[in-house]
């Protein structure tokens, strides 16, 4: 069985799950790794790359798009107010006051707001602003910190992006592995009642394979924002349950042949 066949069978042919379970151990691991990398690319890498391309790279952002700024004598100053979106957060630099005032946090979003003396982590939800944390800038920035200092941090920024990508992929695996374990409670009951002879590892793999179509649909929908994610997640949950059930009951028919 080729890897491409493994993907297709996991998505559309639960009757092939028994054959997939009989493959070498490494094939399942490869399947899981590739699937999680695909999710990471769709959910993290592509949006991040689009964002970076949009502002022309970090060097262009720090040295051209962002006005000159400097941290001196315990206070940050910038010649022109700055704002940009970064994932679920908006970064605001407005140093006229010690803290960025509420009227600058006027959109529904999370905020990293840099005032003259404080960084504020806040969320605007329905025009209600909640300030979760305030950090004194002299605990974060060194004397003389400026645009060129930001440019020198670019390698570390890219390292952070790569690490975040890896952590996201691991997080996706843990999420769907947990769901596989939950689905496994149901499949173990079928396994025992019908005498399918599946080990706990086989049950886990079956439940993981059975989620493939739902995983792909749900995450691609979230990435493009086509339909409300809650509705699509519910539909994908039903799809996963049907695929897993079909795979498990199909093995009983094979045992009777």
């Amino acid at each position: 069985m080729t890897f491409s066949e493994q993907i297709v069978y996991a998505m559309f042919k639960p009757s092939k799950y028994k054959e997939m379970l009989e493959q070498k151990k490494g094939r399942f691991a490869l399947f899981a790794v590739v699937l999680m990398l695909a999710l990471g690319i769709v959910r993290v890498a592509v949006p991040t790359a689009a964002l970076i391309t949009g502002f022309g790279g970090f060097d262009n952002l720090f040295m051209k798009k962002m006005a000159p700024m400097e941290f001196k004598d315990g206070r940050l100053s910038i010649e022109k107010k700055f704002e940009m979106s970064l994932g679920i957060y908006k970064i605001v630099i407005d140093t006229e006051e010690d803290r960025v005032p509420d009227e600058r946090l006027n959109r529904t979003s999370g905020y990293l707001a840099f005032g003259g003396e404080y960084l504020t982590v806040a969320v605007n939800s329905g025009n209600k602003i909640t300030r979760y944390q305030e950090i004194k800038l002299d605990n974060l920035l060194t004397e003389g910190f400026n645009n060129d200092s930001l440019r020198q941090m670019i390698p570390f920024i890219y390292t952070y992006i790569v690490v975040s990508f890896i952590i996201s992929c691991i997080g996706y695996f843990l999420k769907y592995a947990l769901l596989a374990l939950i689905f496994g409670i149901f499949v173990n009951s079928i396994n025992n009642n019908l005498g399918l002879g599946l080990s706990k590892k086989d049950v886990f793999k079956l439940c993981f394979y059975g989620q493939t179509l739902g995983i792909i649909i749900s995450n691609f929908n979230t990435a493009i924002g086509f339909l409300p994610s809650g509705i699509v997640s519910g539909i994908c949950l039903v799809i996963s349950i049907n695929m897993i059930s079909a795979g498990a009951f199909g093995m009983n028919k094979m045992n009777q042949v």
Side-chain angles (χ1 to χ4, degrees):
M1 184 184 298
T2 65
F3 184 77
S4 59
E5 288 176 332
Q6 193 176 7
I7 293 288
V8 172
Y9 293 162
M11 292 174 62
F12 303 114
K13 290 191 175 183
S15 60
K16 292 286 187 176
Y17 285 0
K18 183 174 179 60
E19 185 179 341
M20 293 169 70
L21 295 180
E22 294 171 349
Q23 295 182 107
K24 295 179 180 178
K25 295 179 181 179
R27 296 303 297 273
F28 172 76
L30 177 62
F31 176 88
V33 168
V34 171
L35 183 58
M36 296 306 108
L37 286 175
L39 296 187
I41 290 171
V42 170
R43 295 285 300 275
V44 179
V46 171
T48 301
L51 178 66
I52 294 172
T53 301
F55 55 67
F58 288 108
D59 191 274
N60 184 66
L61 173 67
F62 297 148
M63 305 308 294
K64 296 181 180 180
K65 288 185 174 295
M66 183 182 291
M69 70 170 187
E70 185 179 16
F71 185 71
K72 186 177 181 180
D73 298 328
R75 188 172 185 86
L76 181 67
S77 62
I78 190 168
E79 291 185 6
K80 183 180 179 181
K81 297 173 184 178
F82 175 82
E83 181 175 330
M84 69 169 289
S85 295
L86 185 64
I88 62 173
Y89 281 93
K90 291 188 182 298
I91 296 178
V92 174
I93 305 176
D94 181 353
T95 59
E96 289 184 358
E97 300 181 31
D98 293 346
R99 299 169 175 81
V100 176
D102 285 357
E103 54 264 28
R104 290 282 283 137
L105 313 180
N106 56 7
R107 301 177 188 173
T108 301
S109 177
Y111 282 90
L112 298 176
F114 292 83
E117 294 187 7
Y118 292 91
L119 163 63
T120 302
V121 181
V123 173
N124 184 331
S125 55
N127 294 320
K128 179 183 179 181
I129 297 172
T130 304
R131 294 175 178 258
Y132 287 101
Q133 189 174 13
E134 287 190 340
I135 304 170
K136 203 100 166 55
L137 289 181
D138 56 14
N139 293 325
L140 294 175
L141 306 178
T142 57
E143 184 73 11
F145 186 91
N146 56 21
N147 300 67
D148 189 60
S149 303
L150 282 172
R151 180 169 61 178
Q152 293 176 29
M153 293 175 62
I154 291 176
F156 299 100
I157 294 173
Y158 280 114
T159 299
Y160 171 79
I161 291 172
V162 172
V163 171
S164 296
F165 172 79
I166 294 171
I167 292 174
S168 295
C169 292
I170 294 173
Y172 294 136
F173 174 76
L174 293 177
K175 172 184 176 180
Y176 294 112
L178 176 60
L179 284 173
L181 291 173
I182 294 173
F183 289 136
I185 297 173
F186 166 69
V187 175
N188 271 320
S189 177
I190 298 175
N191 183 36
N192 294 331
N193 291 333
L194 300 182
L196 302 181
L198 298 176
S199 67
K200 291 183 178 179
K201 289 182 180 180
D202 288 337
V203 170
F204 175 80
K205 290 178 184 179
L206 186 154
C207 293
F208 198 92
Y209 283 133
Q211 295 180 79
T212 304
L213 181 58
I215 288 173
I216 292 174
I217 293 174
S218 176
N219 284 279
F220 270 78
N221 176 74
T222 300
I224 64 177
F226 183 65
L227 293 171
S229 59
I231 295 175
V232 175
S233 294
I235 293 172
C236 290
L237 179 63
V238 173
I239 291 173
S240 296
I241 292 173
N242 286 337
M243 294 293 288
I244 292 168
S245 300
F249 285 113
M251 290 180 191
N252 183 53
K253 295 178 181 178
M254 293 178 188
N255 289 341
Q256 294 176 353
V257 175

